[in-house]
Amino acid sequence: MKKLPLSACILAALLGHSTLAHANSQISDQAMAEFKEMRVAFDEGANALGMSAERYADVAQKYERFMTKLAAPAGYHDSEVPDDILPFNQIPAVQEAKYHADGYSPEFEQRLRAEINQNDARLATYLGLTTEQLHPFVKQYAQFVMDGRVMSDNMMGKGNFSIKAMERFEYVCRSECGSFGMTSLDYLHLREGLRALHSGGYYTDVKVVTRNRDGSYHDTAIWRVRMDGRIWRERAANCDNEISCHQEP
Protein backbone atom coordinates (compact mmCIF):
# COMPACT_ATOMS: atom_id res chain seq x y z
CA MET A 1 0.00 0.00 0.00
CA LYS A 2 1.33 3.41 -0.93
CA LYS A 3 2.12 5.52 2.11
CA LEU A 4 0.17 8.77 2.27
CA PRO A 5 2.22 11.95 2.59
CA LEU A 6 2.14 13.78 5.91
CA SER A 7 -0.14 16.46 4.51
CA ALA A 8 -2.81 13.87 3.72
CA CYS A 9 -2.44 12.30 7.17
CA ILE A 10 -2.89 15.65 8.92
CA LEU A 11 -5.85 16.61 6.77
CA ALA A 12 -7.50 13.25 7.36
CA ALA A 13 -6.84 13.38 11.06
CA LEU A 14 -7.74 16.92 11.91
CA LEU A 15 -9.48 18.97 9.24
CA GLY A 16 -12.58 16.83 8.88
CA HIS A 17 -14.40 15.14 6.06
CA SER A 18 -15.81 18.31 4.53
CA THR A 19 -12.34 19.54 3.68
CA LEU A 20 -11.28 16.16 2.37
CA ALA A 21 -14.30 16.01 0.09
CA HIS A 22 -12.88 18.98 -1.76
CA ALA A 23 -9.24 17.91 -1.57
CA ASN A 24 -9.03 17.59 -5.35
CA SER A 25 -10.74 20.90 -5.98
CA GLN A 26 -9.89 24.41 -4.94
CA ILE A 27 -9.09 24.84 -1.22
CA SER A 28 -9.64 28.26 0.29
CA ASP A 29 -6.70 30.43 1.22
CA GLN A 30 -7.84 30.33 4.83
CA ALA A 31 -7.88 26.54 4.89
CA MET A 32 -4.41 26.39 3.36
CA ALA A 33 -3.11 28.94 5.87
CA GLU A 34 -4.55 26.88 8.72
CA PHE A 35 -2.99 23.75 7.32
CA LYS A 36 0.43 25.39 6.97
CA GLU A 37 0.28 26.66 10.54
CA MET A 38 -0.74 23.22 11.75
CA ARG A 39 2.17 21.67 9.87
CA VAL A 40 4.57 24.09 11.59
CA ALA A 41 3.02 23.26 14.97
CA PHE A 42 3.35 19.53 14.30
CA ASP A 43 7.00 19.97 13.37
CA GLU A 44 7.57 21.81 16.65
CA GLY A 45 5.78 19.11 18.61
CA ALA A 46 7.69 16.34 16.89
CA ASN A 47 11.03 18.01 17.55
CA ALA A 48 10.17 18.52 21.22
CA LEU A 49 9.36 14.83 21.67
CA GLY A 50 12.20 13.56 19.49
CA MET A 51 10.06 11.87 16.86
CA SER A 52 9.16 12.26 13.20
CA ALA A 53 6.39 14.62 12.15
CA GLU A 54 4.55 11.64 10.63
CA ARG A 55 4.54 9.85 13.97
CA TYR A 56 3.44 13.01 15.77
CA ALA A 57 0.52 13.34 13.34
CA ASP A 58 -0.53 9.81 14.23
CA VAL A 59 -0.34 10.58 17.96
CA ALA A 60 -2.39 13.75 17.43
CA GLN A 61 -5.04 11.86 15.47
CA LYS A 62 -5.42 9.31 18.26
CA TYR A 63 -5.55 12.01 20.92
CA GLU A 64 -8.30 13.78 18.96
CA ARG A 65 -10.30 10.54 19.01
CA PHE A 66 -9.81 10.29 22.77
CA MET A 67 -10.96 13.89 23.24
CA THR A 68 -13.95 13.33 20.94
CA LYS A 69 -14.99 10.47 23.20
CA LEU A 70 -14.79 12.82 26.21
CA ALA A 71 -16.89 15.46 24.46
CA ALA A 72 -19.48 13.14 22.93
CA PRO A 73 -22.95 12.58 24.38
CA ALA A 74 -23.64 9.50 26.48
CA GLY A 75 -23.80 6.36 24.41
CA TYR A 76 -21.12 7.39 21.91
CA HIS A 77 -18.67 4.59 21.20
CA ASP A 78 -15.39 4.51 19.32
CA SER A 79 -13.97 1.01 19.05
CA GLU A 80 -10.54 2.45 18.29
CA VAL A 81 -10.25 4.01 21.77
CA PRO A 82 -9.87 1.32 24.46
CA ASP A 83 -12.74 1.30 26.94
CA ASP A 84 -10.39 0.96 29.89
CA ILE A 85 -8.96 4.48 29.35
CA LEU A 86 -11.13 6.54 31.68
CA PRO A 87 -11.78 10.27 31.80
CA PHE A 88 -9.87 11.66 34.76
CA ASN A 89 -13.05 12.37 36.71
CA GLN A 90 -14.19 8.75 36.32
CA ILE A 91 -11.12 7.13 37.85
CA PRO A 92 -12.58 5.36 40.93
CA ALA A 93 -10.08 6.73 43.45
CA VAL A 94 -10.50 10.26 42.07
CA GLN A 95 -14.26 9.97 42.51
CA GLU A 96 -13.81 8.65 46.05
CA ALA A 97 -11.31 11.37 46.97
CA LYS A 98 -14.00 14.04 47.30
CA TYR A 99 -15.28 12.25 50.40
CA HIS A 100 -11.89 12.67 52.11
CA ALA A 101 -12.16 16.33 53.07
CA ASP A 102 -9.49 16.38 55.78
CA GLY A 103 -6.76 14.11 54.48
CA TYR A 104 -5.85 10.78 52.92
CA SER A 105 -4.51 7.72 54.64
CA PRO A 106 -1.17 6.45 53.29
CA GLU A 107 -3.03 3.47 51.84
CA PHE A 108 -5.54 5.63 49.98
CA GLU A 109 -2.78 7.96 48.76
CA GLN A 110 -0.97 4.96 47.31
CA ARG A 111 -4.12 3.68 45.65
CA LEU A 112 -4.94 7.12 44.24
CA ARG A 113 -1.52 7.53 42.65
CA ALA A 114 -1.56 3.96 41.35
CA GLU A 115 -4.93 4.35 39.62
CA ILE A 116 -4.01 7.70 38.05
CA ASN A 117 -0.65 6.32 36.86
CA GLN A 118 -2.29 3.18 35.47
CA ASN A 119 -4.84 5.21 33.54
CA ASP A 120 -2.10 7.48 32.20
CA ALA A 121 -0.10 4.42 31.14
CA ARG A 122 -3.09 3.09 29.21
CA LEU A 123 -3.54 6.41 27.42
CA ALA A 124 0.17 6.59 26.62
CA THR A 125 0.11 3.05 25.21
CA TYR A 126 -2.89 3.86 23.02
CA LEU A 127 -1.17 6.98 21.70
CA GLY A 128 2.10 5.14 21.12
CA LEU A 129 4.02 7.24 23.64
CA THR A 130 6.09 6.44 26.68
CA THR A 131 4.64 7.51 30.02
CA GLU A 132 7.41 10.13 30.20
CA GLN A 133 6.26 11.63 26.88
CA LEU A 134 2.55 11.71 27.72
CA HIS A 135 2.28 14.83 29.87
CA PRO A 136 4.65 16.94 27.72
CA PHE A 137 2.62 15.97 24.66
CA VAL A 138 -0.74 16.78 26.28
CA LYS A 139 0.50 20.15 27.56
CA GLN A 140 2.01 21.17 24.23
CA TYR A 141 -0.86 19.91 22.10
CA ALA A 142 -3.35 21.68 24.37
CA GLN A 143 -1.39 24.90 23.82
CA PHE A 144 -1.60 24.42 20.06
CA VAL A 145 -5.37 24.11 20.40
CA MET A 146 -5.61 27.11 22.73
CA ASP A 147 -3.58 29.23 20.31
CA GLY A 148 -5.74 28.20 17.37
CA ARG A 149 -2.80 26.52 15.63
CA VAL A 150 -4.61 23.19 15.38
CA MET A 151 -8.15 23.34 14.04
CA SER A 152 -9.77 19.94 14.36
CA ASP A 153 -13.04 18.54 13.10
CA ASN A 154 -14.31 18.87 16.68
CA MET A 155 -13.77 22.62 16.80
CA MET A 156 -16.39 25.01 15.48
CA GLY A 157 -14.10 27.96 16.00
CA LYS A 158 -11.10 29.07 18.02
CA GLY A 159 -13.24 30.74 20.66
CA ASN A 160 -15.21 27.59 21.41
CA PHE A 161 -12.19 25.66 22.62
CA SER A 162 -9.84 28.41 23.77
CA ILE A 163 -11.20 29.99 26.92
CA LYS A 164 -8.29 31.86 28.41
CA ALA A 165 -8.16 33.07 32.01
CA MET A 166 -11.78 34.23 32.07
CA GLU A 167 -12.14 33.44 35.77
CA ARG A 168 -10.16 34.12 38.94
CA PHE A 169 -10.07 31.49 41.69
CA GLU A 170 -8.46 31.75 45.14
CA TYR A 171 -7.21 28.64 46.88
CA VAL A 172 -5.77 28.12 50.38
CA CYS A 173 -3.42 25.14 50.63
CA ARG A 174 -4.01 22.69 53.45
CA SER A 175 -0.31 22.96 54.28
CA GLU A 176 2.44 25.15 52.83
CA CYS A 177 2.01 25.52 49.07
CA GLY A 178 4.79 23.95 47.04
CA SER A 179 6.60 25.77 44.25
CA PHE A 180 5.05 23.89 41.32
CA GLY A 181 3.50 20.93 43.01
CA MET A 182 1.13 20.34 45.85
CA THR A 183 -0.12 17.42 47.86
CA SER A 184 -2.67 15.09 46.28
CA LEU A 185 -5.25 16.43 48.73
CA ASP A 186 -4.65 20.03 47.64
CA TYR A 187 -4.48 19.04 43.97
CA LEU A 188 -7.84 17.30 44.02
CA HIS A 189 -9.53 19.96 46.13
CA LEU A 190 -8.24 22.62 43.71
CA ARG A 191 -9.49 20.48 40.85
CA GLU A 192 -12.98 20.41 42.35
CA GLY A 193 -12.98 24.20 42.56
CA LEU A 194 -11.72 24.68 39.01
CA ARG A 195 -14.06 22.07 37.56
CA ALA A 196 -17.00 24.32 38.36
CA LEU A 197 -15.37 27.10 36.30
CA HIS A 198 -14.84 24.99 33.19
CA SER A 199 -16.79 26.92 30.58
CA GLY A 200 -17.04 24.42 27.76
CA GLY A 201 -14.86 23.02 25.02
CA TYR A 202 -11.68 21.02 25.47
CA TYR A 203 -9.87 23.36 27.86
CA THR A 204 -10.41 26.38 30.10
CA ASP A 205 -7.66 28.55 31.59
CA VAL A 206 -8.20 29.97 35.08
CA LYS A 207 -6.10 32.48 36.99
CA VAL A 208 -5.47 30.91 40.41
CA VAL A 209 -4.25 32.79 43.47
CA THR A 210 -2.80 30.38 46.04
CA ARG A 211 -2.30 31.18 49.71
CA ASN A 212 -0.52 29.27 52.45
CA ARG A 213 -2.47 27.86 55.34
CA ASP A 214 -1.86 31.01 57.42
CA GLY A 215 -3.37 33.13 54.64
CA SER A 216 -0.07 34.55 53.39
CA TYR A 217 0.24 35.00 49.63
CA HIS A 218 2.04 32.26 47.72
CA ASP A 219 1.64 33.01 44.02
CA THR A 220 -0.67 33.64 41.09
CA ALA A 221 -0.59 31.27 38.15
CA ILE A 222 -2.57 30.07 35.17
CA TRP A 223 -4.02 26.60 35.57
CA ARG A 224 -5.54 24.69 32.68
CA VAL A 225 -8.67 22.55 33.09
CA ARG A 226 -9.30 19.76 30.60
CA MET A 227 -12.93 18.87 30.06
CA ASP A 228 -12.63 15.58 32.00
CA GLY A 229 -11.34 17.36 35.09
CA ARG A 230 -7.61 16.85 34.61
CA ILE A 231 -5.81 20.05 35.65
CA TRP A 232 -2.22 21.24 35.39
CA ARG A 233 -0.32 24.41 36.12
CA GLU A 234 0.75 26.30 33.03
CA ARG A 235 2.79 29.29 34.18
CA ALA A 236 2.93 32.28 36.48
CA ALA A 237 0.19 34.64 35.39
CA ASN A 238 2.47 37.45 34.21
CA CYS A 239 5.10 35.27 32.52
CA ASP A 240 5.44 33.59 29.18
CA ASN A 241 6.53 30.31 30.73
CA GLU A 242 7.01 28.75 34.13
CA ILE A 243 10.77 28.46 33.79
CA SER A 244 11.82 32.08 33.24
CA CYS A 245 9.48 33.49 35.88
CA HIS A 246 8.22 31.06 38.49
CA GLN A 247 6.33 33.49 40.69
CA GLU A 248 4.75 36.90 40.46
CA PRO A 249 6.36 39.67 42.53
Side-chain angles (χ1 to χ4, degrees), residues 149-168:
R149 300 181 67 187
V150 172
M151 301 298 290
S152 78
D153 196 30
N154 298 304
M155 296 174 60
M156 298 301 102
K158 180 179 177 181
N160 288 355
F161 286 73
S162 303
I163 313 300
K164 293 193 174 184
M166 300 296 291
E167 301 282 354
R168 180 182 184 275

Side-chain angles (χ1 to χ4, degrees), residues 140-216:
Q140 185 178 52
Y141 190 79
Q143 192 61 53
F144 291 156
V145 173
M146 295 293 280
D147 291 341
R149 300 181 67 187
V150 172
M151 301 298 290
S152 78
D153 196 30
N154 298 304
M155 296 174 60
M156 298 301 102
K158 180 179 177 181
N160 288 355
F161 286 73
S162 303
I163 313 300
K164 293 193 174 184
M166 300 296 291
E167 301 282 354
R168 180 182 184 275
F169 185 80
E170 191 157 321
Y171 183 78
V172 179
C173 298
R174 265 59 177 178
S175 57
E176 295 302 303
C177 301
S179 177
F180 282 108
M182 52 177 59
T183 66
S184 295
L185 178 65
D186 278 322
Y187 176 86
L188 290 175
H189 275 277
L190 175 61
R191 171 193 164 273
E192 281 298 302
L194 298 186
R195 183 178 58 84
L197 298 178
H198 179 64
S199 51
Y202 280 4
Y203 311 98
T204 300
D205 280 0
V206 181
K207 182 178 289 188
V208 178
V209 177
T210 51
R211 297 188 181 277
N212 297 309
R213 190 171 185 177
D214 63 3
S216 60

